[in-house]
């Protein structure tokens, strides 16, 4: 067994559409754990066998056509839980938690929010507040915990291509930042920022923006945050932008972090 442990998050934007590049990427990068979001597939159609063939267990919760989360692991996962355990959110496939390799993993696809003036934005804020309560109720800051996924939030000015223009919009709003700060104060650390402090590093480039990737018009909204006991073992973190340039890519790129094994 390797002395290092590699974990990734990837908004795949339809796992069925992305299977060829996903399978090639898994074989090439060999992550130990992968959190997927926007799988957009019902559970009976999830590609369990294809992923097992390349060495991965699959835990998943899906919906038809939208949302959907999954965790792929080389080691068999335990302590599996789905959702926020509340009826209000029970129809949304946005959260899976597992324990694998002695680490608690919480994979989230946070609601996008659409527009600041909309009910969708208020739903996003309420969902994030409930998530913070879920984490504080089910875990302790001194435990090995990783919260990762598509947070749909860029934390600071370095994480958007035009911070002055975009400040106050969905994904870069003070109320969202305040909720991230609750997570930080509880004991979660932004692993990317432990290793990279400059701006211009993005994980998402909107399809609707002409040549957005080439023009570097992106957002860093896909994250891996960890408690101190894990964060201290962090060796490096990087965004695999090659995947955004692949044939028929997602509008996101995978974000990967490597740790000393627990």
């Amino acid at each position: 067994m390797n002395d290092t442990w590699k974990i990734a998050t990837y908004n795949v934007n339809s796992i069925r559409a992305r299977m060829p590049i996903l399978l090639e990427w898994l074989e090439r990068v060999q992550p130990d754990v992968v959190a997927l979001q926007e799988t957009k597939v019902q559970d009976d159609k999830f590609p369990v066998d294809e992923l097992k063939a390349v060495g991965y267990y699959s835990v998943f919760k899906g919906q038809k056509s939208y949302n959907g989360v999954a965790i792929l692991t080389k080691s068999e996962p335990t302590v599996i839980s789905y959702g926020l355990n509340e009826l209000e959110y029970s129809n949304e496939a946005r959260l899976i938690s597992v324990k694998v390799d002695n680490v608690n993993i919480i994979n989230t696809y946070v609601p996008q929010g659409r527009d600041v003036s909309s009910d969708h934005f208020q739903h996003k804020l309420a969902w994030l507040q409930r998530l913070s309560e879920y984490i504080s109720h089910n875990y302790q800051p001194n435990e090995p915990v990783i919260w990762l996924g598509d947070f749909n939030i860029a934390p600071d000015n370095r994480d958007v291509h035009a911070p002055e223009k975009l400040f106050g919009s969905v994904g870069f709003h003070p109320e969202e930042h305040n909720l991230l700060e609750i997570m930080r104060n509880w004991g979660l650390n932004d692993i990317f920022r432990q290793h990279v402090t400059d701006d211009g590093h993005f994980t998402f480039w909107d399809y609707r923006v002409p040549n957005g990737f080439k023009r570097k018009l992106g957002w860093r909204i896909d994250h891996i945050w960890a408690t101190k006991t894990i964060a201290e073992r962090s060796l490096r973190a990087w965004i695999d932008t090659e995947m955004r340039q692949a044939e028929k890519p997602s509008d996101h790129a995978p974000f990967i972090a490597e740790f000393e094994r627990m």
Side-chain angles (χ1 to χ4, degrees):
M1 182 180 289
N2 286 339
D3 293 333
T4 61
W5 190 77
K6 202 180 294 180
I7 186 166
T9 183
Y10 181 32
N11 181 319
V12 72
N13 195 358
S14 175
I15 192 168
R16 286 181 293 185
R18 239 55 74 188
M19 277 302 286
I21 63 171
L22 176 63
L23 291 173
E24 185 279 330
W25 180 80
L26 289 171
E27 296 257 27
R28 173 169 55 86
V29 178
Q30 292 292 316
D32 296 278
V33 178
V34 183
L36 300 175
Q37 305 84 39
E38 279 202 275
T39 54
K40 296 182 178 180
V41 64
Q42 291 175 294
D43 289 348
D44 62 345
K45 300 290 197 304
F46 194 87
V48 174
D49 293 339
E50 293 98 314
L51 292 164
K52 186 67 175 176
V54 295
Y56 287 89
Y57 295 93
S58 302
V59 179
F60 47 89
K61 178 67 175 176
Q63 289 178 243
K64 185 178 181 179
S65 302
Y66 63 101
N67 293 346
V69 284
I71 299 176
L72 315 180
T73 60
K74 285 188 173 182
S75 302
E76 188 169 6
T78 60
V79 197
I80 299 166
S81 179
Y82 303 91
L84 290 169
N85 302 324
E86 286 196 357
L87 185 61
E88 181 180 0
Y89 303 114
S90 62
N91 65 335
E92 296 186 358
R94 293 189 177 276
L95 186 149
I96 289 181
S97 62
V98 304
K99 190 167 189 176
V100 63
D101 297 330
N102 299 313
V103 181
N104 299 290
I105 309 289
I106 307 162
N107 175 23
T108 57
Y109 174 47
V110 175
Q112 195 273 336
R114 298 193 187 180
D115 185 86
V116 171
S117 62
S118 72
D119 290 341
H120 296 281
F121 185 64
Q122 295 306 313
H123 173 68
K124 179 181 189 177
L125 298 178
W127 196 93
L128 283 163
Q129 178 63 47
R130 179 64 192 97
L131 175 64
S132 71
E133 295 164 0
Y134 171 89
I135 290 174
S136 64
H137 178 74
N138 289 285
Y139 305 95
Q140 297 296 324
N142 60 354
E143 291 182 293
V145 178
I146 292 179
W147 171 42
L148 79 172
D150 179 355
F151 295 5
N152 266 312
I153 305 172
D156 64 49
N157 287 358
R158 298 170 292 177
D159 301 317
V160 293
H161 62 88
E164 292 184 6
K165 176 183 176 182
L166 294 169
F167 184 75
S169 60
V170 169
F172 195 52
H173 191 280
E175 291 189 70
E176 296 169 318
H177 292 157
N178 289 341
L179 287 160
L180 278 187
E181 199 62 23
I182 291 172
M183 304 293 198
R184 200 186 305 273
N185 291 337
W186 180 81
L188 289 163
N189 303 278
D190 183 344
I191 296 300
F192 185 76
R193 288 300 175 205
Q194 286 190 191
H195 300 280
V196 184
T197 58
D198 59 334
D199 62 9
H201 300 276
F202 307 128
T203 62
F204 167 75
W205 301 261
D206 196 329
Y207 286 141
R208 298 168 295 181
V209 176
N211 294 312
F213 180 77
K214 291 181 179 179
R215 295 163 62 199
K216 300 182 179 179
L217 303 179
W219 299 61
R220 188 176 74 93
I221 59 174
D222 303 88
H223 301 279
I224 298 172
W225 287 31
T227 51
K228 184 178 179 181
T229 186
I230 291 288
E232 289 177 338
R233 295 172 175 267
S234 177
L235 300 171
R236 61 186 182 125
W238 69 101
I239 300 163
D240 190 348
T241 54
E242 285 186 27
M243 284 287 278
R244 186 60 175 79
Q245 303 171 76
E247 185 176 355
K248 296 183 179 178
S250 169
D251 44 2
H252 295 248
F255 169 47
I256 311 161
E258 191 168 9
F259 301 83
E260 294 177 354
R261 190 176 288 274
M262 291 289 292

